[in-house]
Amino acid sequence: MKCAKCGAELKKGCLYCSVCGHEAQIVSDYNVLEDDYLRSLLKDGEGEKNPQEKGPEPKKTKKKKKSHLALIVCCCLIITGAAVGIAVKLYIDNKNANSYDYQIEMAEKELVDRNYENALRYYKTALALQPDDIKVREAMAEIYTSQKEYDSALVLYMEILQLDKNNKEAYQHLISIYDERGDYESILSLKEDVTDEEVLALFDAYEVGEPIISPLGGQYDDYVTIVIYSIAGNDIYYTMDGTVPDKENGIPYPQWGISLNRTGNFEINAVCCNEKGIYSDVVSEEYQIQFKKPDLPSVSPDGGLFSEETTVTIAQQKDCMIYYTWDSTDPTTESAIYTEPLVVPEGDYVLSVMAVNNKTGLVSDIYRVNFGYHP
């Protein structure tokens, strides 16, 4: 084996050349031309070499190559890790986006922090995953109600009723919202399709019983006093001109009733109004008042000749005053008033009797009868 620098023969087992001190290198075949060429390269390099630098230039090149390789490997590892991280995140996000339980969990966390918009976003996603979910609708409706977004809450509660027509809680919330708005007509409309007894009970405070009118409508030949009352003690308003009564257009019902004291046709419309300002249905009655004059007075005995003292009785009529004369003249309201049985005077006389209705002022026909008393 020869020294790569000076070409001297190296002893077996030596690590350095005994001639030039160069590190031993294995050289398979010695070539003088190659050796001279190598020597010239080394001499040229020595002129440019820093005296403080140690070791041949080739060793530095290898270190640089190794550093570049390590840098490339690190970059590859970083890029690979980032790609894996992104892929994992996308997988988890996709999994959560399709997880009902995750959406509910996140919505509840947002509610605790009062992030209502975020909570609604999670609830909407959960509802898209389970379209028939009533609980999610209830939670969303409560948020909208708390934010006074009543229209959105109403839509959700109506959807709940479509899924469960006897959902008592949904009816309670709907009634509460309508009550807040003073929309009692919508409350009563909501009741139309209800059959469940517990749900029906929710509407009791908004149901106003109809007024009761007495006597019933019909034909009457005398004064009629109309009495209207409410079982629940609600206020009563009425009209007699065919219009629908209310607080603005109606007449408050008087405690003494409504007197129909003249002939004619009358229509009475009445309603009850509770403390919430909710009206009952309108109740109507029609009356035809045609006063009848008093009946022809009835006299007993009905005339005749008598030899003994005799008394005459005249039948009284309701609400009528009886007037009479003995001298054949027509009685008037200035004539004698019948108050007790009459004694037939001695001689021949014509008893004339009439009845006058105290309310209507109508007068009966005059009844005449002959009496003769001769003792």
Side-chain angles (χ1 to χ4, degrees):
M1 182 183 295
K2 295 180 181 181
C3 176
K5 183 175 182 182
C6 65
E9 191 73 29
L10 296 176
K11 293 181 180 180
K12 214 175 196 183
C14 290
L15 297 177
Y16 296 93
C17 177
S18 60
V19 177
C20 67
H22 191 269
E23 183 179 359
Q25 292 183 357
I26 298 173
V27 178
S28 56
D29 292 313
Y30 180 74
N31 189 312
V32 176
L33 292 176
E34 290 178 357
D35 185 59
D36 291 339
Y37 177 69
L38 181 60
R39 286 175 185 273
S40 66
L41 287 174
L42 290 172
K43 286 180 181 179
D44 292 339
E46 283 178 357
E48 299 174 2
K49 193 168 154 182
N50 191 329
Q52 295 181 356
E53 287 183 355
K54 294 182 180 180
E57 189 67 25
K59 276 196 170 183
K60 283 191 173 183
T61 303
K62 287 182 180 179
K63 287 183 179 179
K64 286 183 179 180
K65 287 182 180 179
K66 288 181 180 179
S67 176
H68 289 162
L69 181 61
L71 181 61
I72 293 171
V73 171
C74 287
C75 290
C76 291
L77 290 175
I78 291 172
I79 293 172
T80 302
V84 171
I86 292 171
V88 171
K89 185 177 184 306
L90 290 174
Y91 170 77
I92 293 174
D93 289 346
N94 182 66
K95 182 180 178 182
N96 290 338
N98 292 282
S99 171
Y100 170 85
D101 292 336
Y102 173 80
Q103 301 300 325
I104 297 300
E105 179 183 352
M106 293 304 297
E108 291 174 350
K109 286 182 178 179
E110 296 292 350
L111 278 180
V112 172
D113 296 334
R114 297 185 179 182
N115 296 324
Y116 299 117
E117 290 299 324
N118 290 340
L120 284 170
R121 179 166 55 82
Y122 284 114
Y123 278 134
K124 287 177 181 178
T125 304
L127 194 60
L129 295 170
Q130 294 191 18
D132 293 338
D133 195 304
I134 290 178
K135 294 297 182 183
V136 171
R137 285 182 170 85
E138 289 176 344
M140 292 176 65
E142 287 179 9
I143 294 175
Y144 284 128
T145 301
S146 68
Q147 301 299 305
K148 297 189 182 302
E149 296 182 32
Y150 294 128
D151 289 336
S152 298
L154 287 172
V155 170
L156 289 166
Y157 285 127
M158 294 302 291
E159 288 179 358
I160 291 173
L161 292 183
Q162 290 177 354
L163 296 168
D164 178 9
K165 67 178 183 178
N166 292 322
N167 191 295
K168 185 176 179 180
E169 289 73 19
Y171 276 109
Q172 286 176 322
H173 289 297
L174 284 169
I175 290 173
S176 177
I177 292 174
Y178 286 135
D179 186 277
E180 178 77 15
R181 291 179 163 186
D183 187 358
Y184 303 120
E185 184 176 346
S186 293
I187 293 177
L188 297 178
S189 297
L190 194 64
K191 180 190 173 186
E192 291 178 358
D193 298 326
V194 178
T195 56
D196 185 89
E197 291 298 328
E198 289 189 9
V199 176
L200 284 172
L202 299 175
F203 296 89
D204 288 347
Y206 303 91
E207 283 288 331
V208 180
E210 298 175 351
I212 299 174
I213 302 178
S214 179
L216 298 177
Q219 295 181 349
Y220 293 87
D221 58 10
D222 200 351
Y223 280 177
V224 177
T225 298
I226 307 300
V227 177
I228 308 175
Y229 60 95
S230 166
I231 294 177
N234 293 316
D235 294 334
I236 299 172
Y237 298 91
Y238 76 95
T239 60
M240 297 181 67
D241 58 2
T243 60
V244 175
D246 54 28
K247 286 184 178 180
E248 288 72 29
N249 303 317
I251 303 170
Y253 172 73
Q255 294 181 348
W256 52 85
I258 305 167
S259 180
L260 303 182
N261 54 9
R262 57 187 175 84
T263 60
N265 296 325
F266 303 92
E267 177 184 357
I268 293 180
N269 295 321
V271 294
C272 289
C273 181
N274 69 4
E275 58 185 8
K276 291 180 176 291
I278 303 174
Y279 292 94
S280 69
D281 291 336
V282 178
V283 175
S284 298
E285 294 289 350
E286 294 184 1
Y287 301 87
Q288 296 83 43
I289 307 298
Q290 186 62 53
F291 296 143
K292 185 179 73 170
K293 65 182 181 181
D295 295 332
L296 193 67
S298 175
V299 177
S300 179
D302 191 16
L305 297 175
F306 303 93
S307 57
E308 296 179 353
E309 185 176 291
T310 304
T311 58
V312 178
T313 302
I314 304 173
Q316 295 281 11
Q317 298 184 44
K318 182 181 178 182
D319 298 324
C320 288
M321 189 74 75
I322 305 296
Y323 297 90
Y324 69 93
T325 63
W326 282 107
D327 58 4
S328 301
T329 59
D330 293 342
T332 66
T333 54
E334 299 297 325
S335 301
I337 300 174
Y338 174 80
T339 56
E340 59 183 0
L342 304 175
V343 176
V344 177
E346 187 175 342
D348 295 317
Y349 293 93
V350 176
L351 177 62
S352 301
V353 182
M354 73 172 186
V356 178
N357 189 299
N358 297 327
K359 292 181 177 178
T360 65
L362 294 177
V363 179
S364 70
D365 293 333
I366 297 174
Y367 180 77
R368 301 179 192 278
V369 62
N370 295 316
F371 282 91
Y373 172 42
H374 300 282

